[in-house]
Structures are given as C-alpha cells and as structure tokens.
Amino acid sequence: MAYNLAPLQNLIDQFERMQGVGHKSAQRMAFYVLGLSDEDAKAFACAITDAHTKIKQCKICCNLADDDLCSICKNEKRDKSEICVVEDPRDVAAIERTHVIKGTYHVLHGAISPMDNIGPDQIRIKELIARLSDGEVKEVIMATNPTVEGEATAMYISRLLKPMGITVSRLAYGVPVGGDLEYADEVTLSRAIEGRSLI
C-alpha cells in the first residue's frame, strides 16, 4: 500500500506549481510547513493571503504596489523623462540594485510570444503608450530579457515609439542571451545599462 496523505499531497502539489520548484523541493517545503507551530502556520498563511489581496499594480507604471502608486512613481526625485521598460516586477528589483537608473519604470507583465498566444494586447504596451502622450519622456530604455520573446517585444515597442520622436535604447549585451535579468549580478546589469545602444 502506498504511503499517501491527501492534505500533504495537496500541499506538495501546490508548491510544485511554483515556477522552478521540482517535486523534491516542493516536498521539503511541505514538510517545513507541517513542522511549523499552529501560530507560525497561521502567520504564514496570513502572509500569503495579505500579499495576494493587498498588492496591486501601480496605476502609472504597472509595477507592484500596496497603494495606487508604487514608491518609485511617488518619488519626486526620479527623472520622469526616462522610462526603463521591463517584463516583470522582479526585473525592477534587479535593476534597482545597480543604482544606475535614475528614471522610472514600466512593467509589461510578459513579452510578446506567438507560440504562447501572447500578443501585444496581452501585455501592458497600451499603458506605456498612454504615458508618453504628454511629451515629458525623452528616452525609453528597453530592458526586456535577451530572449527571442524579449527581443521581439523590444523591436515591436521601438517601432511604435520612433514616430513619436522618443529616443529608444536597448540594454547592451552584458546579460547572457537566454538568461533572466532577475539572476544577473549587479556588475553585469550595470555594464548592460551603461552600454545600451539605440534600436
């Protein structure tokens, strides 16, 4: 007879649904949760629920926020003439660690990927274009991942922005092709940002 507890298996299955988490890691996390005291388990569950219900998208840049605007968009010291476009909120955190970008961000929440049925309307491109209508923005830095999808997204947005007279640049290739910005170290990201080129 197989050893199987339905609640434990359900917990393992939920952890296994997380990106990059395999069966053994999911199992370890599930047993960790089982080892928590009732109080700690409730706090853990509450943290998940709070994050899910209280975190939303910034009304300006679509980054994660716990208010209508994220802390970067609220910051009056940020250069509003520069927007760094990224695919994912994790990319904002990675680039912010470099302290190189002095402007603001725009989070697309994905990349154009015909194979996955993700077109321009499924990501936050319309919101980006709407931000550019007042003429304040002078440069858009394309910091999408150096993948086929990231490149396609950067080129698509670049073509949309050229008639607007906005300078569009792309991160230099210090970031490995096929890699995610989230995993790049600060030095590599800094060099990629400083060595960006027009597209």
Side-chain angles (χ1 to χ4, degrees):
M1 185 172 96
Y3 177 71
N4 188 13
L5 300 170
L8 175 59
Q9 188 57 51
N10 184 36
L11 187 57
I12 292 169
D13 292 345
Q14 291 304 315
F15 280 124
E16 206 169 344
R17 291 176 61 188
M18 296 168 69
Q19 184 179 358
V21 175
H23 182 72
K24 292 211 180 234
S25 295
Q27 204 171 36
R28 276 194 297 275
M29 288 190 278
F31 278 105
Y32 167 79
V33 169
L34 283 180
L36 294 173
S37 67
D38 286 350
E39 187 178 313
D40 288 342
K42 285 177 186 168
F44 186 77
C46 185
I48 293 171
T49 304
D50 276 358
H52 197 266
T53 56
K54 294 179 180 174
I55 294 176
K56 50 191 170 183
Q57 289 183 18
C58 173
K59 288 187 175 180
I60 295 175
C61 71
C62 304
N63 193 11
L64 299 181
D66 59 359
D67 201 355
D68 286 341
L69 301 180
C70 71
S71 59
I72 294 171
C73 287
K74 283 181 187 175
N75 188 341
E76 293 297 323
K77 294 179 181 175
R78 300 302 286 238
D79 180 2
K80 306 295 187 205
S81 70
E82 178 186 88
I83 295 178
C84 181
V85 178
V86 297
E87 292 179 27
D88 189 271
R90 291 172 291 191
D91 300 334
V92 173
I95 293 173
E96 277 296 286
R97 287 194 302 267
T98 70
H99 304 289
V100 176
I101 295 290
K102 305 299 181 203
T104 59
Y105 292 89
H106 188 82
V107 182
L108 296 171
H109 292 275
I112 296 170
S113 177
M115 297 288 286
D116 298 316
N117 293 319
I118 299 171
D121 293 338
Q122 278 76 49
I123 58 177
R124 307 298 188 280
I125 294 176
K126 287 180 194 166
E127 291 83 349
L128 172 62
I129 302 301
R131 290 179 68 185
L132 305 175
S133 60
D134 64 4
E136 185 179 4
V137 176
K138 304 297 179 210
E139 181 182 10
V140 171
I141 302 166
M142 295 306 306
T144 52
N145 289 319
T147 59
V148 172
E149 295 80 10
E151 290 295 325
T153 304
M155 291 307 296
Y156 179 85
I157 292 173
S158 173
R159 285 192 194 113
L160 289 178
L161 303 188
K162 288 245 166 128
M164 301 172 94
I166 296 169
T167 300
V168 181
S169 59
R170 181 84 170 109
L171 290 188
Y173 285 102
V175 179
V177 174
D180 288 330
L181 291 177
E182 175 188 2
Y183 301 113
D185 63 281
E186 287 84 353
V187 175
T188 301
L189 266 177
S190 292
R191 287 181 181 160
I193 292 167
E194 289 165 354
R196 66 187 182 268
S197 59
L198 298 180
I199 55 173

